[in-house]
Amino acid sequence: MADDRPVPLDEYPIHQVPLSMKQVATGDRNAYDRCIFHLFDHEGRSLLILGLGVYPNVGVIDAYATLRRGDTLHAVRASDALGDDRMNLSVGPLTITVDEPLQRLRLRCAADPDDPASLSYDITWNASFPALWEPHHIQRRGDRLSLEGRRFVQAGGCTGVIRVGGDDIPVTAGEWTATRDRSWGVRPIPGEERGRLEEEFGTEGFHWIWSPVRFDDRFLMVIAQEDADGYRTLNEATLVRHGARDRQLGWPQADITYRSGTRHPERAVIHLTDPDDRKPMELGVEVLASLPLAVGAGYPPADDWQHGTWQGRGWSDRRRYDLSDPAAHPMAAYGVIDHAARFTLDGQTGYGIFEHGSFGRHDPSGFTGFDSVAP
């Protein structure tokens, strides 16, 4: 019999529905609540991506950390049964502590005593700008709601140390940029039933840009999601400055230069519009380092572990991937890839993430199918 006693969070006046805080107001097995952090140095030598997720209707909590250093990707993953203490953001060796909500968080990965060369870190994340709501994210497959997410994004800095391969990598304020994203709602996790909706409403194409950028005095968020025809289903171009109203910079249009024979972006120009005088603005993008989320981080179409999947109690896993060998990660190109990048706008240089995925047909880019690549 299930334990239906109150949990610690039920002490607080934060309920939205007449349920315990251990329960969500939907029976959808795909209910989720999770976060992702991106931290990298401004030369692109190290790119660390980490996150944690809760999946209340399948009773799972999991977390991951992936570090790209050269052509080696170091991954730590952990999964366990979801407990009652939702304030405890810890799974195996991975822990996130909220020291001050929306301002300061501590990110930790404990060392593996049996493998001193494996990844560990202790980092403090500090906000540089207020958190920004992203557009309400909805996707349907046929008439079924397959994804509905509430999200916010935030840019900041970080300090601490990363240890890997016997080396200490100092994470130094001013030399590293850190962004994060929080989201919750309903999002597909493995194990979904198959049938007519998948057969008759398969994806012809998907094109995605998600790009938080931190400058010294401003924060810019750009999002564009399009289907195979180029029809836009999600759009965002918002500039955040201290003491000023947020500014919307129009309908972002990206010109992406791909590496020949791939859909791997090397640089891009995102065209924006100044709302005051309607003059065009150009956001330049130079990719510094890339990390595919399907390798180590548990995002589809990963074939060794995906978020929300039951691995048993107390499961953890550490491994290394050779990113120079495509045979070691054959599905990486069919998932979203996060690129640490240097950006330029109005004569200023900033740093952030150029997250991009382009699969199947995308008419505006000239891609005709899943096997189509840049010339």
Side-chain angles (χ1 to χ4, degrees):
M1 181 176 178
D3 184 354
D4 61 355
R5 293 181 178 86
V7 298
L9 271 180
D10 288 324
E11 288 279 19
Y12 298 90
I14 55 177
H15 298 80
Q16 300 295 309
V17 293
L19 295 171
S20 168
M21 290 301 294
K22 73 180 293 183
Q23 298 160 337
V24 289
T26 176
D28 195 321
R29 69 181 299 275
N30 296 305
Y32 82 104
D33 198 331
R34 73 189 191 196
C35 62
I36 185 171
F37 290 80
H38 299 84
L39 306 91
F40 65 95
D41 72 278
H42 294 169
E43 300 301 319
R45 294 182 296 259
S46 301
L47 169 57
L48 175 66
I49 301 179
L50 62 100
L52 181 145
V54 165
Y55 308 86
N57 288 341
V58 293
V60 171
I61 179 172
D62 54 34
Y64 66 93
T66 55
L67 172 73
R68 177 163 191 166
R69 185 82 170 163
D71 285 330
T72 302
L73 189 153
H74 305 265
V76 181
R77 296 87 67 83
S79 178
D80 209 339
L82 180 61
D84 288 344
D85 186 1
R86 301 299 168 82
M87 302 287 281
N88 179 16
L89 305 180
S90 181
V91 194
L94 298 159
T95 300
I96 298 173
T97 305
V98 181
D99 290 334
E100 184 180 351
L102 302 177
Q103 292 295 325
R104 187 176 69 256
L105 299 95
R106 188 177 178 189
L107 316 172
R108 286 173 288 171
C109 176
D112 181 356
D114 297 324
D115 183 4
S118 67
L119 174 64
S120 66
Y121 54 80
D122 190 343
I123 298 170
T124 298
W125 188 99
N126 290 287
S128 299
F129 297 90
L132 175 70
W133 286 117
E134 298 178 35
H136 199 66
H137 196 175
I138 292 177
Q139 288 182 240
R140 296 184 184 275
R141 172 167 282 186
D143 293 329
R144 180 182 177 181
L145 182 70
S146 60
L147 184 152
E148 182 176 16
R150 175 82 277 191
R151 305 162 62 115
F152 69 76
V153 65
Q154 196 169 22
C158 49
T159 57
V161 63
I162 299 170
R163 296 183 175 90
V164 69
D167 296 329
D168 286 3
I169 304 170
V171 178
T172 308
E175 298 179 9
W176 286 64
T177 286
T179 64
R180 71 180 184 119
D181 182 84
R182 278 280 289 116
S183 69
W184 57 92
V186 173
R187 181 171 179 161
I189 58 177
E192 184 65 10
E193 68 275 10
R194 299 176 182 272
R196 171 178 171 261
L197 292 181
E198 182 176 279
E199 181 178 318
E200 296 187 6
F201 299 95
T203 301
E204 289 187 72
F206 175 80
H207 193 79
W208 167 259
I209 294 171
W210 180 88
S211 194
V213 188
R214 178 181 181 268
F215 295 91
D216 287 340
D217 66 345
R218 63 193 68 185
F219 168 61
L220 174 63
M221 186 64 202
V222 175
I223 303 173
Q225 178 179 300
E226 296 179 349
D227 64 15
D229 299 325
Y231 184 85
R232 187 160 297 186
T233 53
L234 207 62
N235 188 82
E236 174 87 332
T238 299
L239 189 67
V240 177
R241 295 173 296 172
H242 291 291
R245 186 177 181 181
D246 295 349
R247 300 172 68 200
Q248 294 176 318
L249 303 185
W251 188 270
Q253 294 284 358
D255 291 330
I256 302 174
T257 300
Y258 294 98
R259 183 183 302 157
S260 180
T262 74
R263 296 198 197 184
H264 183 94
E266 294 184 326
R267 59 188 179 277
V269 175
I270 301 176
H271 302 278
L272 307 168
T273 303
D274 189 310
D276 294 333
D277 53 18
R278 298 188 179 181
K279 288 184 178 179
M281 306 171 67
E282 290 188 351
L283 178 68
V285 184
E286 176 192 357
V287 169
L288 301 174
S290 305
L291 203 162
L293 294 182
V295 182
Y299 284 72
D303 57 4
D304 56 359
W305 168 73
Q306 287 194 29
H307 295 293
T309 56
W310 176 240
Q311 303 295 317
R313 291 180 179 270
W315 176 82
S316 64
D317 175 75
R318 294 176 185 255
R319 61 182 62 194
R320 299 176 183 88
Y321 301 85
D322 181 2
L323 293 179
S324 67
D325 179 11
H329 46 88
M331 300 303 292
Y334 296 95
V336 169
I337 299 179
D338 285 358
H339 309 274
R342 182 180 294 116
F343 294 79
T344 55
L345 181 70
D346 287 341
Q348 293 194 40
T349 298
Y351 296 88
I353 295 296
F354 184 71
E355 180 176 277
H356 181 51
S358 184
F359 330 117
R361 179 168 64 87
H362 186 239
D363 294 346
S365 300
F367 297 131
T368 58
F370 282 93
D371 58 351
S372 178
V373 294

